[in-house]
Amino acid sequence: MEFKFGGSAENQKTVLGHPAGLFVLFFTEMWERFSFYGMRALLVLFLVSTLIDGGWDWSRADALVLYGWYTGLVYLTPIIGGFIADKFMGYRNAVVLGALIMTLGHGSMALEGLTSIFFYIGLSLLIIGNGFFKPNISSMVGQLYKNHGKEKDSGYTIFYMGINAGAFLGILLCGYIGENIGWHYGFGLAGIFMFLGMLQFYFTQKIFGRIGLSPKQTQDFDDVIEDSVEKIGEDIEEVIEEAESSGVVRDRMIVIGVFSIFVIFFWWAFEQAGGSMTVFAADYTDRALVGSAALTFKIVNTIITVVPMLVITWVLVMLFKQTFQNYAFANVLLGLSFVIIWGIVIWMLNREFQSDATEVPASWFSVLNSLFIILFAPLFSKIWESKLNPSGPVKFAIGLLLVGFGFGVLAYGAAGIPDGAKTASVSLMFLVVAYFLHTMGELCVSPVGLSYVSKLAPVKFVSLMFGIWFTANFFANLLGGFTGSYIDPISEEYGLTTFFLIFTIIPISAALIMLLLNPMLKRMMHGIE
Ligand code: GLN
């Protein structure tokens, strides 16, 4: 029988028109990103807080350097994890192994109070685990779809919503618990969900059929397979593929390389979010909540927390409907993680309502990014499916333009601040608008990029090519941290506006170059849309 989607017969059941397996990957990735973004939110805060508050009393500069290395290295290991999975262990084993290593990493970080070595061991395990996890789960998404059509793009966009649901909850909850209850609770919390997420994936993996098995297992399977028609079809496909001049393969790999280089400019600017944009939020904006503003903020905060929670819980229920029969245990584990998370959310919101907050926390702005993604991803996915769908390089150019415009808004907002001022009270709307533009840019670049890598990469090296795609983030995050750390000297000498203009001009220039390259790149993609 010819299946519409890749994977088992079970995977042909759909949720929102996509194969059920997409949502298994959605939730596994959601918990992993919860871990990554949760740690990212806590790292600098923990390091710079005083010994009395349980921190390490580091200088801001030192903490930002470690932050840069951590957020950079997690994106360097995928090239190794991708290669190992393509060649030897298969995507599924790699995802499970990676999740297990990351769970141990959280366990180790939670013991940071005993000796600081545990903290470093924990961070190293997270970096290694991510290398096995991230490129391989990204490859599996693409293999759920049999053709390279628009369905795959929209599959990646849904997956991207899972990424951001995890990021959103991780930043919100790990941040809150780490800061208010105790750092190691924050570090450990993510480990619990990572572990449940891993078990959920492990016990549901049969749904993927042959997708993600090791090259060796795939071979054995081929030997016994009875469905010879399918086999012949595949053989023909392989022959055609090989017959395709190696030039096509080479051209497409070059396009992935070009995308990976341009995306460095994007993330370099975008990732100022965790660094200089947070400094701007903390020291230069008016976050005071006077009069009724405090209550308004609490209500807004409750709505933006509960609504995404309801949406993902609804997705969870739809997945259960399709898979409970065959994967009851895995579903129970996943359900358990949701019960815990709802409990924490309700406890936190209740606690917040009782507090007498006088200002918006500086870290609050960073959840806007994931929130905007969850809200607007469906719209973008519709645009890509419509007649308005621009070519890949044009999408990249739009993304770069938007991130540049976002910094243009910040440059404008900072214009009234005297050179070298240490504080100011600029309206926080500038930050909200900047985050909005950056997120719209991200939607033009990041999920789209995943989909293009999946379409352009030769079948045998999909994960390795994802590794290369993620390596761009290594350079971007490291350089971004480095550039961001110059915020003080640059604003003393030339003003904060000049500092933000750097991040305006460079991405816009990169966008213009991308537009010039568009016709050539389109040709080199050889029919991939
Ligand atoms: N926000 C996305 C994720 O966490 C993309 C990150 C990136 O590629 N820099 O997966």
Side-chain angles (χ1 to χ4, degrees):
M1 189 180 60
E2 184 61 42
F3 288 153
K4 176 155 189 264
F5 300 109
S8 68
E10 195 70 16
N11 195 41
Q12 309 309 311
K13 293 187 184 168
T14 57
V15 173
L16 300 170
H18 288 267
L22 175 66
F23 296 89
V24 175
L25 300 175
F26 177 103
F27 287 113
T28 312
E29 173 72 341
M30 183 179 113
W31 291 131
E32 185 277 324
R33 290 286 97 181
F34 181 100
S35 140
F36 174 70
Y37 284 100
M39 293 309 96
R40 199 184 86 151
L42 282 181
L43 198 62
V44 172
L45 292 174
F46 164 70
L47 292 170
V48 302
S49 79
T50 60
L51 297 174
I52 296 167
D53 288 332
W56 285 4
D57 214 358
W58 280 25
S59 73
R60 193 181 245 169
D62 286 347
L64 283 173
V65 168
L66 184 61
Y67 176 89
W69 277 109
Y70 170 63
T71 54
L73 285 174
V74 285
Y75 286 115
L76 191 61
T77 47
I79 198 161
I80 304 166
F83 178 76
I84 294 177
D86 276 337
K87 268 224 125 24
F88 309 110
M89 64 189 312
Y91 310 135
R92 265 143 73 166
N93 289 337
V95 166
V96 173
L97 179 67
L100 187 65
I101 296 175
M102 285 188 276
T103 305
L104 296 175
H106 285 291
S108 183
M109 282 180 84
L111 298 177
E112 141 284 322
L114 299 180
T115 147
S116 55
I117 300 289
F118 281 126
F119 182 79
Y120 292 109
I121 295 177
L123 279 186
S124 312
L125 290 173
L126 291 180
I127 290 167
I128 297 167
N130 194 61
F132 282 105
F133 188 99
K134 187 85 165 132
N136 298 312
I137 196 161
S138 312
S139 298
M140 287 185 71
V141 173
Q143 298 187 16
L144 296 172
Y145 301 89
K146 286 199 168 164
N147 56 37
H148 286 337
K150 290 166 177 168
E151 223 169 23
K152 190 182 251 189
D153 289 357
S154 89
Y156 271 107
T157 305
I158 292 178
F159 181 69
Y160 211 75
M161 290 172 77
I163 288 179
N164 283 280
F168 179 75
L169 292 171
I171 296 169
L172 208 67
L173 301 183
C174 289
Y176 188 81
I177 290 187
E179 264 186 288
N180 292 287
I181 308 298
W183 301 109
H184 29 273
Y185 290 104
F187 294 143
L189 181 69
I192 297 172
F193 296 114
M194 191 70 257
F195 187 59
L196 289 171
M198 180 199 82
L199 293 177
Q200 181 251 155
F201 178 85
Y202 183 81
F203 288 111
T204 329
Q205 57 176 309
K206 283 214 170 68
I207 203 169
F208 299 114
R210 294 170 63 194
I211 295 173
L213 292 173
S214 69
K216 169 99 182 38
Q217 283 168 314
T218 311
Q219 198 98 49
D220 295 346
F221 201 92
D222 274 348
D223 294 343
V224 296
I225 199 158
E226 277 151 29
D227 199 343
S228 58
V229 179
E230 191 184 359
K231 179 86 176 73
I232 291 167
E234 270 173 16
D235 284 348
I236 293 173
E237 228 175 68
E238 206 164 296
V239 172
I240 294 175
E241 217 164 85
E242 254 153 329
E244 264 182 349
S245 61
S246 56
V248 172
V249 175
R250 192 204 50 209
D251 280 358
R252 288 178 178 164
M253 289 180 45
I254 294 174
V255 174
I256 296 182
V258 173
F259 283 169
S260 301
I261 291 171
F262 276 81
V263 87
I264 294 178
F265 293 101
F266 180 84
W267 293 121
W268 164 76
F270 181 94
E271 285 293 331
Q272 294 307 309
S276 60
M277 282 174 74
T278 299
V279 172
F280 181 72
D283 296 341
Y284 298 97
T285 57
D286 178 14
R287 291 175 292 111
L289 291 169
V290 281
S292 62
L295 183 63
T296 311
F297 176 69
K298 281 176 190 174
I299 292 171
V300 169
N301 203 30
T302 304
I303 294 172
I304 68 171
T305 310
V306 170
V307 171
M309 276 297 293
L310 286 173
V311 173
I312 48 176
T313 307
W314 173 70
V315 175
L316 180 86
V317 172
M318 310 244 283
L319 177 65
F320 280 5
K321 275 196 189 146
Q322 298 293 36
T323 59
F324 205 88
Q325 215 177 354
N326 291 311
Y327 300 102
F329 184 57
N331 280 353
V332 168
L333 291 171
L334 184 58
L336 176 66
S337 57
F338 266 73
V339 171
I340 302 174
I341 213 87
W342 267 111
I344 299 174
V345 164
I346 292 167
W347 164 80
M348 178 189 80
L349 289 175
N350 185 40
R351 204 164 173 268
E352 275 299 272
F353 254 96
Q354 262 134 47
S355 78
D356 33 35
T358 51
E359 60 174 23
V360 178
S363 59
W364 180 81
F365 296 92
S366 58
V367 301
L368 290 178
N369 171 232
S370 358
L371 182 74
F372 288 146
I373 295 263
I374 301 169
L375 294 179
F376 289 94
L379 173 69
F380 276 71
S381 151
K382 283 274 170 303
I383 300 177
W384 305 151
E385 283 176 28
S386 76
K387 284 208 182 69
L388 294 173
N389 186 26
S391 74
V394 171
K395 287 184 189 123
F396 270 73
I398 299 173
L400 284 160
L401 284 177
L402 287 170
V403 84
F405 292 158
F407 276 105
V409 170
L410 290 181
Y412 176 75
I417 302 173
D419 293 1
K422 285 280 168 256
T423 57
S425 297
V426 170
S427 159
L428 46 80
M429 280 322 283
F430 291 110
L431 266 177
V432 175
V433 173
Y435 270 108
F436 177 76
L437 292 171
H438 288 184
T439 308
M440 297 305 106
E442 182 182 0
L443 281 168
C444 296
V445 165
S446 195
V448 172
L450 292 175
S451 190
Y452 278 109
V453 173
S454 159
K455 293 174 187 179
L456 290 165
V459 186
K460 286 191 177 121
F461 293 113
V462 184
S463 274
L464 177 66
M465 295 316 284
F466 270 111
I468 290 176
W469 166 254
F470 287 125
T471 305
N473 290 289
F474 166 73
F475 294 109
N477 289 355
L478 209 59
L479 285 172
F482 191 74
T483 325
S485 71
Y486 282 98
I487 184 169
D488 286 339
I490 293 177
S491 57
E492 265 158 42
E493 188 90 2
Y494 308 102
L496 204 49
T497 295
T498 310
F499 176 79
F500 287 133
L501 280 177
I502 299 174
F503 297 99
T504 311
I505 293 165
I506 292 179
I508 291 179
S509 313
L512 298 179
I513 297 172
M514 195 63 163
L515 285 177
L516 290 178
L517 293 179
N518 179 36
M520 189 182 81
L521 290 171
K522 261 168 74 175
R523 221 174 320 117
M524 290 175 75
M525 286 161 61
H526 294 280
I528 298 275
E529 246 314 309

